[in-house]
Amino acid sequence: MKKPSVFYSIGARVGGQGLSLVAQMAGEALTNKNMLEQLLCYGETGRVNVENVNRIYFQPAKLFSHLPSKYYYSMKRAWMDWRASHYLKHSRADIFHGWTHEALRSIRVAKSKGMLTILERGNTHPLFSQKILEEEYGIYG
């Protein structure tokens, strides 16, 4: 039986800290299992032992990096989503794995091709976080 292949997309450099490290570990695990078709990212640190990395070097949002972060990061994520959706049109992967805030268009393309889609969120939803924090503040004053 053929192993499923994965198209993994993240709007960050791979191999750094935080989500970048999570992406590195996922890419390495998928590579070790011969399941990674492509990992699309904004670059990598050079410490990444992942095959099939496709780096997006040009990012038009950088032209607007002087804007408040809520605008800049929204544009950066939209660009990653647009690029990933373009690559997905030509992909032969069985699974698309993307991250919240940068995968809506990509998921639509993946679903139109019959791919299984995985949307990863690196944190809880803000309303859920608020609820938990309020409960803890109530307990501990």
Side-chain angles (χ1 to χ4, degrees):
M1 184 171 148
K2 177 188 168 280
K3 287 184 181 181
S5 59
V6 178
F7 182 108
Y8 189 102
S9 173
I10 184 164
R13 290 174 50 99
V14 174
Q17 298 176 351
L19 297 180
S20 296
L21 181 59
V22 171
Q24 174 186 339
M25 293 169 58
E28 289 175 352
L30 291 167
T31 295
N32 291 341
K33 296 290 185 180
N34 294 319
M35 294 175 66
L36 183 66
E37 186 209 52
Q38 186 172 157
L39 189 152
L40 187 65
C41 62
Y42 276 131
E44 43 89 13
T45 63
R47 300 177 300 180
V48 179
N49 185 21
V50 176
E51 297 173 2
N52 306 327
V53 175
N54 196 340
R55 296 156 196 87
I56 296 176
Y57 293 107
F58 175 68
Q59 182 201 132
K62 284 193 178 210
L63 298 171
F64 302 100
S65 62
H66 64 283
L67 293 175
S69 63
K70 67 180 179 179
Y71 302 113
Y72 168 70
Y73 285 110
S74 294
M75 286 187 275
K76 181 180 174 184
R77 291 174 179 134
W79 178 251
M80 172 53 80
D81 189 22
W82 185 83
R83 296 294 295 158
S85 69
H86 172 76
Y87 282 100
L88 276 169
K89 290 176 183 173
H90 308 287
S91 174
R92 293 187 176 159
D94 304 300
I95 300 168
F96 169 71
H97 182 143
W99 287 76
T100 56
H101 306 300
E102 57 192 49
L104 180 60
R105 183 183 297 236
S106 303
I107 286 175
R108 288 178 177 155
V109 170
K111 285 193 174 281
S112 75
K113 294 182 69 167
M115 297 170 74
L116 176 69
T117 58
I118 299 170
L119 183 65
E120 187 156 345
R121 180 166 179 92
N123 203 338
T124 59
H125 190 277
L127 295 177
F128 185 68
S129 293
Q130 180 77 25
K131 179 180 179 272
I132 290 173
L133 287 172
E134 287 173 358
E135 289 173 2
E136 293 298 312
Y137 292 151
I139 293 171
Y140 298 105

